[in-house]
Amino acid sequence: MAGKVLVTGGTGYIGGEVIDQLLARGWTVHTTVRSAQKSEARLRTRWPGASERLKVFSADLLSDDGWAEANTGCDAVAHVASPFPLAVPKNADDLVVPAREGTLRALRFAKGAGVTRFVQTSSAAAIAYGHPGQTHFDQSDWTNLAANPPPYIQSKTVAERVARDWVKDNAADMVFCSVNPVAVFGPVYDGDLSTSVEIVKKLVDGSIPLLPNMGICVVDVRDVAKAHVLALEAEADTVRDERFPASESFMWLSDMANLVRERAPDLARKVPTRRMPDMLVRLLAPFMAEMKQIKDELGHVRDVSGKHTEQVLGFTYIPAAQSLEDTVRSLAAKGIVKQ
Ligand code: NAP
């Protein structure tokens, strides 16, 4: 049922893969970037054959300019754009405001253009935080904002909450659902890396000398994009109001290091072998932002199940080990990490 769809954030890791799959399935794609002047040439290089089936519009999450044009003629929206920086800002509003206002703006203009299907890229950040002691999560769980989680986690939770409330109050006929990925790995297009892929880069390029005792859930970017595409194409009643956590499995960093050594030994020379003592992380946390970020994750299982998404949308995840290997090999193929 290919039609015309707006994908926000066409310059991004996930946005790019969503566009890739939609074009391959015959959709006509509009996409927003912050500056078409700066980004259109890069997008045209990536999809040289798309010509009339890809249109690029300038639109910032914080301004109305360009949004009406970008939505014109679209049946559906995949709202992917949201700030996802590596560094934690001092002020949570630096992330919360663009995430919240951008989501409401995307919804308002979508409704104005008669869009009937809206898929929001939310996050496991909106599911799995602020519940001390809980180790397993699924689509029924919500991050507890009262626990004052870090700014990015707040931004994704607030954005998904306001989206659901807005649709209920203002656009009951619009079919809305979210895709909630965990850390996204997989092949990269170029050196403009998403924060999640930076984790893998740091693991193999020697920037992490010791392995902290922490783990993350992993999913492949091709599966995250597939979940978006299937959510856009499925019967309305299958996806209406759904949350689709996208997660293959939970992995400790030490398991990831071992997997890289096993599956890509040619690229594992700088992968750390020794564990960083928890005490060292705690000691360094007041002085190093990176240690502060991981301090509360030490030894903590935070396992978000993506089973519901496989069952409802009907696909099987790429195994996390494969995804990790493909990430490393693609970083090497693009010259981003060296042997
Ligand atoms: P990314 O590569 O950094 O992409 C983020 C996109 O958002 C970029 O296109 C960026 O545009 C755009 N953006 C940021 N601030 C904007 C603003 N003020 N106005 C307009 N566009 C803006 O990151 P990603 O991994 O693809 O993330 C995409 C989405 O997935 C985000 O909503 C993120 O929260 C969510 N997500 C990601 C992961 C993950 O592990 N990667 C996991 C869960 C959820 P520029 O290129 O101009 O900066």
Side-chain angles (χ1 to χ4, degrees), residues 185 203 216 218 251-260 324:
F185 293 175
L203 190 69
I216 48 175
V218 174
M251 290 169 110
W252 296 104
L253 278 193
S254 52
D255 292 337
M256 282 188 207
N258 288 335
L259 274 167
V260 176
L324 180 62

Side-chain angles (χ1 to χ4, degrees), residues 51-108:
S51 63
E52 282 304 297
R53 284 207 298 124
L54 176 66
K55 289 207 170 117
V56 183
F57 298 85
S58 294
D60 195 289
L61 295 173
L62 290 168
S63 157
D64 284 348
D65 296 347
W67 284 93
E69 294 81 351
N71 274 281
T72 301
C74 289
D75 319 300
V77 170
H79 177 49
V80 188
S82 204
F84 185 30
L86 193 55
V88 180
K90 282 215 173 76
N91 187 347
D93 276 352
D94 291 355
L95 303 186
V96 173
V97 171
R100 183 188 61 219
E101 297 309 309
T103 298
L104 292 173
R105 184 163 278 113
L107 282 164
R108 254 195 345 264

Side-chain angles (χ1 to χ4, degrees), residues 11-14 34 60-61 80 82 152 156 181-182 184 194 196:
T11 51
Y13 185 42
I14 295 172
R34 277 193 250 207
D60 195 289
L61 295 173
V80 188
S82 204
Y152 174 72
K156 297 305 289 182
V182 294
V184 181
S194 172
S196 51

Side-chain angles (χ1 to χ4, degrees), residues 8-16 32-35 39 42 59-62 67 79-85 98 121-125 152 155-156 179-185 192-197 219 221 224 228:
T8 67
T11 51
Y13 185 42
I14 295 172
T32 60
V33 297
R34 277 193 250 207
S35 161
S39 305
R42 177 174 162 226
D60 195 289
L61 295 173
L62 290 168
W67 284 93
H79 177 49
V80 188
S82 204
F84 185 30
T121 315
S122 183
S123 172
Y152 174 72
S155 78
K156 297 305 289 182
V179 176
N180 297 59
V182 294
V184 181
F185 293 175
D192 185 10
L193 301 183
S194 172
T195 294
S196 51
V197 177
V219 68
V221 68
V224 174
H228 283 77

Side-chain angles (χ1 to χ4, degrees), residues 209-240:
L210 297 168
L211 289 164
N213 175 27
M214 62 172 284
I216 48 175
C217 282
V218 174
V219 68
D220 194 280
V221 68
R222 292 162 288 191
D223 288 335
V224 174
K226 194 183 285 180
H228 283 77
V229 172
L230 294 172
L232 288 165
E233 293 182 347
E235 292 294 326
D237 288 344
T238 306
V239 299
R240 193 189 301 277

Side-chain angles (χ1 to χ4, degrees), residues 116-171:
T116 53
R117 175 86 48 113
F118 193 103
V119 178
Q120 179 186 27
T121 315
S122 183
S123 172
I127 292 180
Y129 292 81
H131 301 284
Q134 186 172 343
T135 55
H136 287 74
F137 299 87
D138 65 21
Q139 61 285 350
S140 64
D141 292 302
W142 275 94
T143 285
N144 172 20
L145 286 172
N148 194 27
Y152 174 72
I153 291 168
Q154 290 185 37
S155 78
K156 297 305 289 182
T157 310
V158 167
E160 191 186 328
R161 284 267 189 217
V162 296
R164 288 179 183 276
D165 288 347
W166 191 91
V167 171
K168 195 155 40 88
D169 295 344
N170 300 282

